[in-house]
Amino acid sequence: MAQTKVLIVDDETDILDLLEYNLEKESYEVLRAMDGEEAISIARDHKPDLIVLDIMMPKLDGIETCRQIREIPGMDQVYIVFLTARSEEYSEVAGFEAGADDYITKPIKPRVLLSRLKAILRRKSSEEPSETLKVHDLEIIRDEYIVKQGDRELTLPRKEFELLNFLAARPGKVFSREILLEKVWGDVFVVDRTVDVHVRKLREKLGDSYIQTVKGVGYKFANK
């Protein structure tokens, strides 16, 4: 069985050493990069299963690095965890807008980090089987993370797709932001506004008629 390949990216050598030591103890194959440009090159060449990515880095910050990695063929669905000393809400939201799956603040606690990475990888291994969901004029191809809308074909970032898939599978049912965070983001610690950001991006791509706001409650997929 192939080792799970983890790319760790940080401009501080002691942090890379700490992460590498603890990941290798858990039998992960570890790749290292010290800046965003190097991370993009390694991601392109080695296709890691998961990336732990610092935000504050030279050359390219983590957010722009994440965006560029998502554009590499075959890397649009890789799991990316941001590692940062910044705890401001705006940086967290910006991270998820760029396509991050999780967000961990420094100082690093190796046990906590390993637990979060294992939880993410468990979600990956238990993703829904190949199936196509047809609702209204949308065709949601779950195993390919593709949405077809008439003649248009869209490849959505992971969390946008998962949010759309979750709501579309339950048309007419209203979900609060808290429930959506629990069901779509799992045990990731994010702010409620993250849901609003992803809904806005879906509306920009698909139109406003699919996901409806229920004032004071949350969101639902239109039950036409």
Side-chain angles (χ1 to χ4, degrees), residues 24-188:
E24 287 185 341
K25 276 206 313 182
E26 297 292 323
S27 299
Y28 293 105
E29 179 184 347
V30 180
L31 306 167
R32 296 171 53 137
M34 293 196 69
D35 61 63
E37 291 179 356
E38 186 182 11
I40 291 166
S41 176
I42 291 173
R44 183 180 293 111
D45 293 341
H46 296 278
K47 299 294 192 296
D49 301 292
L50 189 147
I51 299 173
V52 180
L53 179 61
D54 188 32
I55 284 188
M56 299 297 290
M57 293 188 300
K59 298 185 181 179
L60 281 180
D61 65 24
I63 290 173
E64 182 57 32
T65 300
C66 178
R67 289 195 183 102
Q68 293 194 31
I69 287 174
R70 289 288 188 215
E71 294 173 357
I72 298 171
M75 294 297 291
D76 56 325
Q77 302 304 327
V78 66
Y79 280 82
I80 297 179
V81 177
F82 272 136
L83 187 65
T84 180
R86 300 169 65 183
S87 58
E88 300 95 328
E89 179 181 318
Y90 77 87
S91 63
E92 182 172 323
V93 172
F96 284 110
E97 281 192 292
D101 295 288
D102 203 343
Y103 196 98
I104 298 174
T105 56
K106 298 176 182 178
I108 300 165
K109 297 178 180 177
R111 279 188 177 181
V112 173
L113 177 66
L114 289 170
S115 175
R116 299 278 280 277
L117 297 188
K118 286 178 181 178
I120 288 170
L121 291 167
R122 279 198 301 272
R123 292 205 301 270
K124 180 177 181 180
S125 65
S126 63
E127 284 175 346
E128 295 175 272
S130 175
E131 186 180 349
T132 298
L133 173 65
K134 295 182 179 180
V135 55
H136 308 330
D137 62 339
L138 298 181
E139 188 174 347
I140 301 172
I141 306 172
R142 289 168 166 161
D143 61 331
E144 297 179 27
Y145 280 74
I146 288 173
V147 176
K148 293 183 178 179
Q149 183 185 41
D151 296 330
R152 290 202 312 149
E153 182 174 294
L154 302 171
T155 301
L156 301 176
R158 179 183 298 275
K159 288 305 174 187
E160 287 179 33
F161 182 92
E162 291 176 354
L163 178 60
L164 175 65
N165 179 52
F166 180 82
L167 290 169
R170 302 158 181 85
K173 186 170 182 179
V174 181
F175 294 94
S176 68
R177 292 168 178 81
E178 291 78 12
I179 292 297
L180 291 173
L181 286 173
E182 176 188 340
K183 297 298 185 181
V184 178
W185 278 264
D187 55 2
V188 178

Side-chain angles (χ1 to χ4, degrees), residues 202-221:
L202 285 170
R203 285 171 171 166
E204 288 172 357
K205 294 169 184 176
L206 298 172
D208 295 336
S209 63
Y210 298 96
I211 300 176
Q212 299 176 342
T213 301
V214 180
K215 193 171 181 180
V217 183
Y219 297 103
K220 69 175 181 178
F221 195 84

